[in-house]
Amino acid sequence: MKRFLGFVVKEFYHIFRDYRTLLILFGIPAIQLLLFGYVITSEIRDARIAIFDQSKDEGTRKISEKVLSSGYFILDKNLSSTKEIEQVFRQGNVKLVLIFGPDFSKNLNKTGNAKVQIIGDASDPNTANILVNYIQGILSNYLFSLNAEKIPMQIVPEVRMMYNSEMKGVFMFVPGLMAMLLMLISALMTSLSITREKELGTMELLLVSPLKPVQIIIGKVFPYVFLAFLDACIIIILGNTVFGVPVVGSVALLLFESLLFICMALSLGILISTITSSQQIAMMLSLVALMLPTILLSGFIFPVENMPVVLQWFCHIMPPKYYITIIKSIMLQGNGFSYIAFETGILAGFTMLFIFLSVKKFKVRLG
Amino acid sequence: MSAIQVTHLTKQFATVKALDDISFSVGHGELFGFIGPDGAGKTTLFRILTTLLLPDEGKASVNGLDVVKDYRKIRQDIGYMPGKFSLYTDLSVEENLKFYATVFGTTIAENFDLIKDIYVQIEPFRKRKAGQLSGGMKQKLALSCALIHKPSVLILDEPTTGVDAVSRLEFWEMLKRLKDSGITIVVATPYMDEASLCDRVALIQNGKIMTISTPSEVIKTYPYVLYSVKSDDIYSLLRDLRQFPQVHSVFAFGQSAHVSFKEEHAAEDVLHKYLQEKGHSDVKIGPTQATIEDCFMELMNTKW
C-alpha cells in the first residue's frame, strides 16, 4: 500500500509540474462548454429575409408586419421583380424570400384562396426548415384570426415541451459535452501518461521494480479519477450558473454516474496505452478513435434513431451514448436510479471489460 | 553457486542476431565487465538478465533464479541502471530517490549507508530537478536509485557513456567500494580503458563473446610484439604504416599508432628508415604493452 501511495504522489508531481497538463485538464472543459453553449444553438433569431409583395394591400401588409415583429426575422430588402430573388440569395445575406401573389386580399376574400410562396435557402437545410416553419406558423395564425368570427369549430393544440420548455439547445449540449470532455480528459491523459513512461525509458525501471502491473495501472489512473471528477463538477456548475441547465434529479446520483463513466474512460485510456508505445500514437488513437465516435455516434449532436441501421449498431457499443442517456435522465427528467439501472450496468460492464483487457495486455516485459 | 549463470543464450530480432549462443558465469562479489562497441548485444543481454526480455534459446539465472520463471523474485534482488537516463526529469533528486525507495518498499534512511558515499556528492543539488543535472550527476543519481533497495546484484548498462573523464574515474571508484561491500556488479562499457578496472571481462562483438578472462590474462594472450609509433603527422603515418610490407596491423591509439609485425622482431631501424623516406619527421618508435583495445582489435580481425 505504501508503494502504491508513493506512486500516486509521484503522479501528482508530474501533473502539477506540467502546466500544459493542467491547462488541458481545467482550461479546455471551461472553454469548450462556453463555446458550445454560446456558439451552437438550434434557435434562430434575426434571420434576414426579403419580401416580394405584388399586391401591397391590407392583408399582405398585416402578414409582413407580423413576420417582422416576430423577432425571428429582419427585413433585408423589398423586392420588385422575380429576377431579384435569385440575386439576393446569391449575395448570401438573405435566408428566405416571402412572395405574395397579385391581388392577395381580393382573392382571399372572393375565392378564399390566395397565393403565397416561401423560398428558403436550403444550402443550410436545418435553418431553412426552421425558418419556413416559423413563417407557416405565422400564416396559419393570420388565417385563423380572419376566420375567428366565421367558423365556431376549431382545434387549438396546447403544446408543452417537457423537460426543456424553452427548447434551449444548451440542455442538449451540456450532457453531450460532459460525456465528450470526460472521455477526452480521462482517456487521453492516462494513455499519454503511461506511454510517456515508455518513451522516457522510466517504464523499464518500473517493470524491474517489484510493483505489480495492477499497482502501476491503478497508480497511474488514480490522480486522473480525482481530476476528471473535479472537471465533471466544474461542467455541472458552469452549465447551471451560466446556462441555467438544471439538475432536477439527485446530484449524488449524477456524480456517482459520472464517476463510473470516468472510470470507464480511464480504463479505455489504459487499454490504449498498453497497445501503443509512443505518445503520438496514443494521442491519435484517443483523439480520432474516441473523440469522433463520441461526438457523432453517441446521440450528442445527431439523433441515433435517424442513422442507418449498421451505424445504429455501432452506436450501441459507444459507452458515451449510455452516459448521455443517464445524465439527461437525471439532470432534465429527474429520474431515479431504477430508470437508468440498465445503462449503469452497461457502463460498469464496459469498465470491467477494459480493465480486464488492460491487465491481460499489460506487458511485464519490454517489446 | 554463481551469482549469474548463462548458458547458450540466443536472442534474435527480426534479421539481427543480437545474442548468439552466449555462455558465461559471474561469481558472487565479482566485478564483471562486458566490453564491446555499440550494437554488440550488451543491452539485449542485460535486458534478459533483468527479466525485461525473454531469450529465444538457452538459460539464464540470477542468484539461482530463472529469468523466465522467477522473474518476480529476481526483480527484488537486482539493481538496474539502463543505458538511457531513465529517471523522472521533472522530479527533484530527492524525490526520485524517495520514489524508488518507496517502490521497493524501503526508505532512504534504511539503506543510507550504502549510497552515502555517492549521495553526498549530489546532495547539495537535492532540490534540483533531475533533468537539470550534469551527465555525471545524473549517473550518480541513477546509481543511487539502483542501489536504494540494497540489491545483491547490480546491473549497469554503459553507466559512464557521455560522462566526463573525472566523473568516470569517480564512478569506477564507487563501483569498487560497492564490490568490496559484497555486491555482485555486472557492467557494460564501450570504453576499453575501463576494462582493466574489472575483475574479469568478456569481450563481446556481434552477439558473440570473443574471450572471457581477467584483464591481465586477456592482455597476456596478445600474440604479437607491439610497438608504439609517433610522428608529426598521424594521418599520413597510419597510411604509410599500412603500406609497410611486414606490418600485421596498425591502429590509431590516441596521438600514436600501435603497430604489430608479422615476424617476431621486425627491425625497428628498417621501419624508422622507411618512415623517414616517406617524409616523416620526429619519428619515435618503441615497444609498448598491449592494451585491452589492442586485444579487442586483434580478436575482431582474426576470429570474427
Side-chain angles (χ1 to χ4, degrees):
Chain A
M1 196 59 205
K2 241 185 160 178
R3 297 176 180 191
F4 176 72
L5 283 182
F7 197 93
V8 171
V9 168
K10 182 211 72 151
E11 283 309 308
F12 272 111
Y13 281 143
H14 287 323
I15 294 167
F16 288 122
R17 283 180 190 175
D18 184 10
Y19 67 94
R20 278 169 301 185
T21 310
L22 283 178
L23 199 68
I24 292 177
L25 274 174
F26 295 111
I28 287 185
I31 291 168
Q32 292 263 37
L33 182 68
L34 296 177
L35 274 181
F36 270 88
Y38 281 119
V39 174
I40 304 184
T41 163
S42 52
E43 307 146 55
I44 296 157
R45 304 214 142 255
D46 300 339
R48 297 190 158 267
I49 59 164
I51 296 175
F52 179 24
D53 189 347
Q54 299 174 47
S55 320
K56 294 209 170 81
D57 54 27
E58 196 203 338
T60 61
R61 255 198 305 278
K62 267 195 176 162
I63 294 173
S64 299
E65 255 168 44
K66 279 191 177 227
V67 166
L68 296 178
S69 59
S70 66
Y72 298 119
F73 303 103
I74 291 179
L75 183 65
D76 188 75
K77 204 174 182 187
N78 268 311
L79 307 181
S80 50
S81 77
T82 42
K83 275 187 227 157
E84 282 177 275
I85 296 170
E86 173 126 30
Q87 211 183 325
V88 289
F89 273 129
R90 280 185 186 282
Q91 280 166 359
N93 295 328
V94 167
K95 297 277 173 220
L96 181 136
V97 174
L98 181 62
I99 305 164
F100 296 104
D103 302 325
F104 184 89
S105 295
K106 213 157 111 195
N107 284 344
L108 190 64
N109 288 329
K110 263 190 194 159
T111 64
N113 203 344
K115 278 184 179 156
V116 180
Q117 191 179 18
I118 308 168
I119 305 177
D121 174 3
S123 52
D124 179 354
N126 280 335
T127 311
N129 225 337
I130 294 167
L131 292 180
V132 167
N133 280 336
Y134 284 162
I135 299 258
Q136 275 176 341
I138 293 167
L139 284 174
S140 59
N141 229 327
Y142 173 72
L143 194 65
F144 186 73
S145 70
L146 285 183
N147 293 341
E149 310 103 50
K150 293 174 193 168
I151 310 163
M153 265 194 292
Q154 45 177 282
I155 299 171
V156 183
E158 193 177 300
V159 181
R160 195 180 141 219
M161 293 297 184
M162 288 272 276
Y163 311 125
N164 184 0
S165 52
E166 291 166 61
M167 305 271 279
K168 278 191 187 165
V170 207
F171 282 32
M172 166 84 183
F173 283 115
V174 167
L177 212 62
M178 260 177 89
M180 192 183 92
L181 290 173
L182 294 182
M183 191 88 168
L184 171 88
I185 285 161
S186 311
L188 182 70
M189 300 312 276
T190 37
S191 62
L192 282 186
S193 84
I194 294 181
T195 44
R196 188 180 304 143
E197 299 237 11
K198 286 189 186 178
E199 258 178 27
L200 293 177
T202 46
M203 191 53 104
E204 210 170 325
L205 281 181
L206 288 183
L207 287 178
V208 175
S209 79
L211 282 175
K212 294 196 184 77
V214 175
Q215 286 177 314
I216 296 180
I217 287 179
I218 306 278
K220 280 256 134 201
V221 159
F222 188 79
Y224 291 102
V225 174
F226 176 73
L227 293 168
F229 188 69
L230 217 59
D231 264 333
C233 298
I234 291 177
I235 298 173
I236 295 171
I237 292 169
L238 266 185
N240 191 281
T241 51
V242 180
F243 299 110
V245 181
V247 181
V248 182
S250 148
V251 177
L253 184 60
L254 180 63
L255 293 180
F256 166 76
E257 296 286 348
S258 301
L259 199 62
L260 179 64
F261 182 69
I262 289 168
C263 290
M264 191 286 306
L266 288 172
S267 51
L268 187 56
I270 298 167
L271 186 60
I272 290 175
S273 64
T274 54
I275 54 175
T276 54
S277 52
S278 77
Q279 291 192 66
Q280 255 187 348
I281 300 174
M283 185 147 30
M284 285 297 290
L285 267 179
S286 315
L287 285 179
V288 179
L290 294 184
M291 288 313 295
L292 285 180
T294 308
I295 296 174
L296 297 177
L297 298 179
S298 65
F300 170 18
I301 297 179
F302 308 105
V304 175
E305 294 76 17
N306 299 353
M307 291 179 198
V309 184
V310 182
L311 279 183
Q312 287 195 27
W313 295 340
F314 278 106
C315 295
H316 291 308
I317 55 165
M318 292 295 150
K321 178 191 158 220
Y322 299 98
Y323 178 62
I324 293 177
T325 312
I326 289 172
I327 44 178
K328 272 189 188 163
S329 175
I330 301 174
M331 287 174 85
L332 305 180
Q333 302 178 326
N335 286 337
F337 181 74
S338 55
Y339 290 86
I340 48 171
F342 171 72
E343 282 83 0
T344 309
I346 287 192
L347 282 188
F350 270 118
T351 312
M352 259 143 21
L353 175 74
F354 291 144
I355 290 180
F356 173 76
L357 285 178
S358 311
V359 174
K360 275 236 122 166
K361 280 239 148 206
F362 189 87
K363 294 188 188 88
V364 291
R365 295 189 165 85
L366 289 177
Chain B
M1 189 184 67
S2 329
I4 293 175
Q5 181 76 47
V6 170
T7 43
H8 303 298
L9 204 63
T10 300
K11 178 76 185 175
Q12 177 105 24
F13 290 117
T15 55
V16 188
K17 224 171 199 176
L19 291 179
D20 191 357
D21 194 21
I22 276 186
S23 300
F24 66 91
S25 70
V26 179
H28 283 288
E30 198 175 7
L31 175 51
F32 193 94
F34 277 91
I35 320 288
D38 292 344
K42 300 183 304 266
T43 299
T44 307
L45 174 64
F46 281 20
R47 283 183 171 167
I48 290 176
L49 290 179
T50 51
T51 75
L52 285 169
L53 280 180
L54 292 173
D56 292 340
E57 281 168 51
K59 277 206 171 301
S61 64
V62 177
N63 286 341
L65 299 165
D66 187 78
V67 291
V68 180
K69 276 189 304 202
D70 307 316
Y71 72 92
R72 289 221 147 269
K73 283 187 203 152
I74 291 182
R75 290 177 181 187
Q76 282 278 12
D77 286 356
I78 54 169
Y80 174 45
M81 196 173 144
K84 203 177 128 200
F85 180 69
S86 302
L87 299 177
Y88 297 98
T89 49
D90 55 340
L91 299 192
S92 72
V93 169
E94 207 172 25
E95 285 160 351
N96 265 301
L97 196 58
K98 203 174 160 196
F99 171 67
Y100 283 103
T102 334
V103 156
F104 278 92
T106 178
T107 58
I108 298 179
E110 205 172 312
N111 293 322
F112 190 72
D113 51 318
L114 192 63
I115 59 160
K116 200 177 143 208
D117 289 342
I118 309 159
Y119 190 63
V120 285
Q121 298 181 45
I122 46 175
E123 204 170 11
F125 311 100
R126 66 180 198 279
K127 296 278 174 215
R128 194 182 285 187
K129 301 266 166 69
Q132 291 156 0
L133 293 174
S134 69
M137 294 281 182
K138 275 182 182 167
Q139 296 311 83
K140 281 169 197 163
L141 175 59
L143 183 63
S144 305
C145 289
L147 279 170
I148 194 66
H149 61 290
K150 214 170 185 181
S152 63
V153 177
L154 196 56
I155 295 177
L156 311 171
D157 191 0
E158 302 202 2
T160 52
T161 300
V163 175
D164 66 87
V166 177
S167 297
R168 268 170 62 190
L169 217 65
E170 281 176 8
F171 197 88
W172 276 93
E173 271 161 22
M174 284 172 214
L175 292 190
K176 276 212 173 124
R177 275 200 294 273
L178 290 172
K179 175 193 122 81
D180 292 341
S181 72
I183 297 176
T184 309
I185 302 171
V186 180
V187 58
T189 177
Y191 299 117
M192 306 281 170
D193 55 328
E194 290 178 349
S196 56
L197 304 167
C198 302
D199 293 337
R200 281 196 303 152
V201 291
L203 303 190
I204 181 170
Q205 163 81 355
N206 291 333
K208 288 187 180 172
I209 293 180
M210 299 191 291
T211 187
I212 302 179
S213 208
T214 61
S216 54
E217 278 300 319
V218 171
I219 288 165
K220 263 189 214 160
T221 56
Y222 189 76
Y224 298 96
V225 177
L226 196 67
Y227 289 90
S228 163
V229 182
K230 263 189 177 175
S231 90
D232 56 344
D233 182 359
I234 182 82
Y235 296 104
S236 55
L237 177 70
L238 286 170
R239 195 190 56 224
D240 292 335
L241 280 171
R242 288 201 176 106
Q243 282 164 0
F244 190 66
Q246 283 139 299
V247 154
H248 166 70
S249 66
V250 180
F251 294 109
F253 199 89
Q255 281 308 299
S256 61
H258 275 191
V259 184
S260 63
F261 297 100
K262 283 170 188 157
E263 286 118 46
E264 267 287 298
H265 289 283
E268 284 175 45
D269 309 345
V270 184
L271 179 64
H272 205 278
K273 215 173 160 195
Y274 164 80
L275 287 176
Q276 272 177 338
E277 275 168 21
K278 286 277 179 188
H280 290 277
S281 54
D282 259 345
V283 177
K284 279 180 196 132
I285 303 178
T288 185
Q289 183 69 49
T291 64
I292 295 282
E293 189 167 353
D294 295 305
C295 301
F296 193 93
M297 295 299 195
E298 181 56 32
L299 283 167
M300 235 172 82
N301 275 357
T302 53
K303 287 198 189 163
W304 284 279

